[in-house]
Amino acid sequence: MLDELIRKTIREMVGGGGPPIAFLTPAGDRGLFGPESIAWKVHADFISMMIGGISSLIMQALHPQALAGVWDHSSFREDLKGRLGRTAFFIAATTYGSTEMADNIINKVNQIHAKINGFDEFGKPYSATDPHLLAWVHLTETHSFMQAFEDYRKEKLSSQDKDQYFVEMKSLGERMGAHNLPITYAKTDIAIQNYIPELYFGERAKSILALLENFPGKLAAKPFIKLMTRAGYLNLPDWVYPFIKRPTPSLIERLAVKKSIDLIAVPIREALKDGVAAHSLRRVYG
């Protein structure tokens, strides 16, 4: 009963249906990365992916042109849960799906991006196919996912494994249209900081933060949602806090949040152990 309650709460937060049977076929298909990849390991942990997803959304909202594409051509302000659900499915499909599933979702998103263009809040033209903007989205996501995995999983990765993750994800980012992506954790961090002069914390970005802080959901899910959101804030690089006019979190706050997540992570991971990654393993190995 506890497992089902947890699964129901998570579906309430990010959407989704029942068992992911679409990931069971075709037999033997390894997809884009395969079970031995670091991407399979990192993306399998719902807790750290949720935290990383929130922090990457905050960072992406700081780039006026990247935000404008979502602002003008998305219903995220009315359907934040739907937006998170679609993003989660894209990550699941490209990481764990069959080669055909991954190819289909990549082509679909690229086709959507080809139709998205306009002007940001400063009147500067933008296009969702701009490699520079696509790189910003890729960099903030991969860095945030790795940072959250490092902080909230007891299983630690070697520096070589961490860098291998960025090698693997570079191939996906390039298929989405980004260019010249870094292949190490350290260089990804540097690449992100190179964007700082382009960032802006205006009314649009503030509204995104307010939306995240007041995430829609049923009463039973509220404590879990608030904890995940707070952890997402703590997952940001230190330079972001003064930029968004928020105090840098104290060590005590970081420890308190981490302890709380450590406590809830055990039943959540147990409840989700037969999820997408497990189904995909059955597809590959039988």
Side-chain angles (χ1 to χ4, degrees):
M1 291 179 64
L2 176 60
D3 285 0
E4 182 52 37
L5 177 62
I6 290 171
R7 287 190 287 267
K8 183 177 180 180
T9 300
I10 289 170
R11 287 196 295 269
E12 165 64 22
M13 184 174 184
V14 300
I21 58 174
F23 290 82
L24 290 172
T25 56
D29 190 311
R30 296 175 56 80
L32 300 185
F33 299 107
E36 298 80 17
S37 66
I38 305 301
W40 270 54
K41 183 187 295 289
V42 172
H43 294 177
D45 185 48
F46 173 81
I47 293 287
S48 56
M49 290 296 287
M50 194 72 224
I51 294 169
I54 292 170
S55 59
S56 66
L57 279 176
I58 294 170
M59 293 183 70
Q60 288 162 19
L62 299 180
H63 197 295
Q65 292 185 288
L67 177 56
V70 179
W71 191 273
D72 295 339
H73 300 273
S74 170
S75 62
F76 78 99
R77 280 168 285 174
E78 297 78 34
D79 186 23
L80 180 59
K81 184 174 70 174
R83 169 63 190 265
L84 287 176
R86 289 188 293 273
T87 301
F89 180 76
F90 176 84
I91 293 169
T94 53
T95 306
Y96 301 106
S98 66
T99 304
E100 181 180 11
M101 181 190 289
D103 287 343
N104 286 344
I105 193 70
I106 290 170
N107 292 336
K108 179 180 179 180
V109 171
N110 284 339
Q111 288 170 8
I112 293 172
H113 283 174
K115 302 174 183 177
I116 295 177
N117 56 75
F119 297 87
D120 70 12
E121 55 197 297
F122 297 104
K124 185 175 181 180
Y126 71 84
S127 169
T129 59
D130 182 349
H132 185 68
L133 297 181
L134 290 166
W136 170 247
V137 172
H138 176 90
L139 293 167
T140 52
E141 285 185 351
T142 53
H143 188 278
S144 295
F145 292 153
M146 178 56 71
Q147 182 65 48
F149 186 88
E150 284 282 281
D151 286 347
Y152 293 99
R153 285 291 292 177
K154 297 188 185 305
E155 176 185 10
K156 296 301 180 183
L157 298 174
S158 68
S159 58
Q160 292 84 0
D161 283 345
K162 287 172 67 173
D163 289 346
Q164 177 60 29
Y165 173 74
F166 292 93
V167 171
E168 293 166 3
M169 296 308 290
K170 173 184 169 73
S171 65
L172 177 59
E174 289 178 341
R175 289 194 62 181
M176 300 305 298
H179 297 166
N180 302 316
L181 296 170
I183 57 173
T184 69
Y185 183 70
K187 289 182 178 178
T188 299
D189 187 46
I190 293 171
I192 287 173
Q193 294 187 53
N194 288 338
Y195 279 81
I196 292 177
E198 304 173 31
L199 306 183
Y200 174 66
F201 187 55
E203 293 306 313
R204 286 187 174 186
K206 289 175 184 176
S207 73
I208 301 301
L209 270 62
L211 193 61
L212 287 171
E213 290 172 342
N214 297 280
F215 193 100
K218 293 182 179 178
L219 186 61
K222 288 288 187 182
F224 173 72
I225 293 171
K226 285 188 176 296
L227 181 59
M228 290 293 102
T229 302
R230 190 60 202 158
Y233 271 96
L234 301 188
N235 196 52
L236 294 167
D238 283 346
W239 62 262
V240 175
Y241 300 115
F243 197 92
I244 62 174
K245 299 176 174 57
R246 302 293 177 92
T248 301
S250 66
L251 178 60
I252 292 176
E253 181 180 8
R254 291 183 182 278
L255 289 174
V257 170
K258 189 174 188 309
K259 184 65 175 177
S260 298
I261 289 177
D262 285 345
L263 289 173
I264 68 167
V266 174
I268 288 176
R269 287 169 179 150
E270 178 65 23
L272 300 179
K273 67 181 181 180
D274 194 30
V276 169
H279 280 64
S280 300
L281 276 173
R282 295 189 193 114
R283 181 189 74 242
V284 175
Y285 295 123

